[in-house]
Amino acid sequence: MTLKKYLKELLQSLTGTVILIGIKDQTLLTMMKESKQIKQCYFLNANSKEAQKKARWSLRRHANIPISKFRKRFKKKRIDTIVCDVREMQNLFSIFVKDSVYICKGKIYYYGSKRNLDIPMLKARYSRYQVTFEELDLKDSHVFVVDVSKAKYRYHRELWYKVKDILHQASELASDFLVN
């Protein structure tokens, strides 16, 4: 099965409120506009500032939403499903993982090529919240599904994880600097 066929089947089966990040295929977008099962669908593109200005819009005439403001806009457990292209979220995983657990009450789908999708990093970040994972290998790409319906979000632990992530990034930068 190819990625486009998988996404088409997935988007046809979605219900409720959905966030799509990085989907650029016009056939999939028109299919989402015509779907009767979806109450609200937000399409976001986070790759560059130009893309944010042009494509940061919602399919059903809602306000523009930058990815860094997810938590303020959607509140706790308001979104049913998030479908995300990994190339769009490459630099924003530190923000997006915690916010996606906070706002989503269903499943989060990450898709992309096998070299772009860093599954051990995603597993490490999401395992903090006691969620379940599923990996799918397609012909041309890889899909990583996170079920956050039973996720536990604790504010004090989140602060600890933020400090831990900052120290880990600082140590990686220092080691890269010393090696080069």
Side-chain angles (χ1 to χ4, degrees), residues 5 43 47-49 51 62 72 76 101 153 172 175 179:
K5 187 176 180 181
F43 175 76
N47 197 11
S48 64
K49 291 189 178 185
H62 291 281
K72 289 181 183 177
K76 189 171 187 174
V101 169
Y153 184 85
E172 283 185 0
S175 66
V179 169

Side-chain angles (χ1 to χ4, degrees), residues 98-145:
K98 66 179 181 160
D99 287 348
S100 65
V101 169
Y102 186 77
I103 66 171
C104 187
K105 61 183 173 185
K107 291 187 178 184
I108 303 169
Y109 296 88
Y110 290 102
Y111 67 91
S113 67
K114 294 178 183 177
R115 61 186 161 100
N116 287 343
L117 190 58
D118 187 12
I119 292 181
M121 186 271 303
L122 283 173
K123 280 187 177 181
R125 294 264 171 109
Y126 277 110
S127 64
R128 300 170 176 174
Y129 303 103
Q130 293 85 31
V131 298
T132 57
F133 311 109
E134 183 181 346
E135 297 178 43
L136 302 171
D137 281 324
L138 303 175
K139 287 181 181 176
D140 55 350
S141 62
H142 200 78
V143 178
F144 185 70
V145 182

Side-chain angles (χ1 to χ4, degrees), residues 29-62:
L29 293 176
T30 55
M31 184 180 71
M32 290 301 292
K33 284 181 184 179
E34 297 167 356
S35 177
K36 303 284 187 216
Q37 297 174 345
I38 295 178
K39 294 177 185 175
Q40 293 177 336
C41 181
Y42 299 95
F43 175 76
L44 307 174
N45 194 351
N47 197 11
S48 64
K49 291 189 178 185
E50 281 184 22
Q52 282 183 347
K53 288 178 184 175
K54 290 180 182 175
R56 189 179 60 173
W57 52 274
S58 169
L59 291 174
R60 303 246 173 131
R61 297 186 185 133
H62 291 281

